[in-house]
Amino acid sequence: MATPTTTRSELLRKAAAQALLAPSVHNTQPWRFVLSADRLDIYADRSRRLPVLDPSGRQLLISCGCALFNARVALASRGFDAVVDRFPDPGQPDLVARIMLSAIPSDRTEIGALDSFIISRQTNRRRYADEPMPAEVVRLLIDSARAEQATLFPVERMNHRIAVARLSQEADKLENADPAYRAELRAWTSDSPERRDGVSAIVVPHVTGKAYDDIPIRDFDTRGAGSLPAETRSGLDQCLFLLATPADDELSWLRAGEALERVWLEATRQGYVASLFTQPIEIPHVREWLRLELDLTIRPQLLLRVGKAPLTASSRRRALSDLLVDNAGD
């Protein structure tokens, strides 16, 4: 809870600090923040968009949605509902959200319990343990997505799992055949301990051709320096979810990010780790095949695997001072 002497701008500044810990495509961290005395504005940084992988900016906005949800959680943990205006100014399309505080503190801020898990949430690309997720945890994650106006669809039927594997393999093959894709991937991977963005070699499997994946984990080992074990065994029997939204516009992508982060933080609270499969969503015709194969009318946004595995190192982050324009004046 906030103390009586905590100013609104201090609360919003802390919210920005939690927001920058959100997951983002290739750890691009495509956001910036502007703080005023009574509000926090979140902007999409389109200079960090991936033009080959993400030409529409869909994954960029999903990433910004994750940051927005972290800010909401941070404020809720201090007893305040966030009053959020999404895309508040048509004249500023990069302004994805404006956050203000409710007039008075509230005790109806259940998402605040997720705040302590923001720092421990991680993308974990290791092999997961062969154990099923309890039905009550599955329901909890589904409810978490629903609360953010999205659908978390458990991929349980064997024909659906086979379709996901087949289409993921097809998309992964198509992407890796594109020299521009491989160049972009190299640009956003690094083995340098000094780099504060991109995917670090310390958090990716070393690729030797012996992963034994049915559903391929993206090959981030562009320099042959991956630190995690090569054998990941991303199989048909792992716990898989598809996150989807009713529509497929910029607001839907932002809300998908909020739903993703709520699900991910809740999974972390329950003792699980997660990682994403987005390859079959990135190729338009494969994405449509996936929707049809799973008998869905909603729009697929990403695939999520959830399980248990040893923790990995945390992804590196840019400093708040590099991302925040502070006009609060306190």
Side-chain angles (χ1 to χ4, degrees):
M1 293 290 291
T3 66
T5 58
T6 306
T7 66
R8 288 179 172 253
S9 59
E10 287 172 334
L11 291 171
L12 292 166
R13 191 177 292 110
K14 291 176 181 177
Q18 291 293 71
L20 66 81
L21 297 176
S24 59
V25 56
H26 289 15
N27 195 29
T28 50
Q29 303 169 53
W31 44 61
R32 53 190 179 87
F33 310 98
V34 177
L35 175 66
S36 302
D38 63 347
R39 69 174 186 262
L40 177 68
D41 289 344
I42 301 179
Y43 287 84
D45 183 350
R46 296 188 191 270
S47 71
R48 290 178 164 264
R49 180 178 60 84
L50 303 172
V52 178
L53 188 76
D54 187 31
S56 68
R58 183 183 62 86
Q59 293 194 67
L60 179 147
L61 288 175
I62 289 175
S63 303
C64 288
C66 292
L68 169 56
F69 186 75
N70 276 8
R72 290 170 51 202
V73 167
L75 295 173
S77 74
R78 291 160 176 85
F80 283 89
D81 282 322
V83 179
V84 181
D85 192 0
R86 296 168 181 84
F87 296 102
D89 184 353
Q92 297 187 76
D94 292 343
L95 175 56
V96 299
R98 173 162 290 159
I99 305 174
M100 303 181 73
L101 298 181
S102 54
I104 57 175
S106 169
D107 59 1
R108 298 174 58 191
T109 52
E110 66 274 8
I111 61 172
L114 299 173
D115 186 63
S116 62
F117 297 96
I118 289 175
I119 189 67
S120 55
R121 182 218 56 81
Q122 62 175 223
T123 300
N124 193 309
R125 301 177 181 87
R126 292 183 185 270
R127 179 180 179 178
Y128 289 1
D130 296 326
E131 59 181 74
M133 178 179 287
E136 60 270 21
V137 179
V138 172
R139 287 193 298 270
L140 179 62
L141 299 186
I142 291 171
D143 291 343
S144 296
R146 183 182 299 117
E148 300 301 324
Q149 301 182 23
T151 298
L152 192 69
F153 176 79
V155 184
E156 296 174 331
R157 289 166 46 182
M158 184 51 66
N159 64 315
H160 286 171
R161 289 173 176 267
I162 291 171
V164 165
R166 174 171 50 81
L167 294 174
S168 295
Q169 293 168 15
E170 173 70 12
D172 197 62
K173 179 181 177 181
L174 288 171
E175 288 185 332
N176 280 300
D178 182 355
Y181 166 84
R182 297 198 305 272
E184 185 175 78
L185 196 64
R186 284 194 300 273
W188 284 100
T189 54
S190 174
D191 55 6
S192 169
E194 305 301 321
R195 184 165 174 178
R196 310 309 300 175
D197 62 2
V199 180
S200 172
I202 63 174
V203 299
V204 302
H206 182 54
V207 175
T208 64
K210 296 182 179 180
Y212 305 111
D213 289 343
D214 294 317
I215 304 174
I217 295 172
R218 196 189 303 276
D219 178 8
F220 284 107
D221 192 19
T222 60
R223 292 168 175 78
S227 296
L228 300 186
E231 189 174 320
T232 48
R233 291 193 181 271
S234 170
L236 294 177
D237 57 346
Q238 62 191 324
C239 184
L240 291 171
F241 297 96
L242 182 136
L243 184 73
T245 52
D248 198 32
D249 53 18
E250 290 196 335
L251 179 58
S252 299
W253 302 339
L254 188 71
R255 294 308 303 253
E258 293 177 79
L260 169 61
E261 184 69 339
R262 183 163 183 164
V263 168
W264 210 328
L265 291 177
E266 190 59 67
T268 304
R269 178 161 69 163
Q270 300 301 319
Y272 291 86
V273 296
S275 65
L276 303 181
F277 300 111
T278 55
Q279 297 98 311
I281 318 294
E282 291 158 357
I283 308 290
H285 72 269
V286 178
R287 185 188 189 196
E288 180 61 12
W289 288 345
L290 179 66
R291 186 183 67 82
L292 295 173
E293 292 270 11
L294 299 187
D295 302 314
L296 299 175
T297 58
I298 48 182
R299 311 304 299 181
Q301 300 297 343
L302 54 90
L303 287 157
L304 181 74
R305 70 171 183 147
V306 183
K308 294 196 173 182
L311 297 181
T312 63
S314 299
S315 295
R316 299 186 178 108
R317 302 291 169 172
R318 295 189 290 160
L320 181 61
S321 58
D322 295 332
L323 300 172
L324 177 69
V325 175
D326 194 337
N327 297 325
D330 58 11

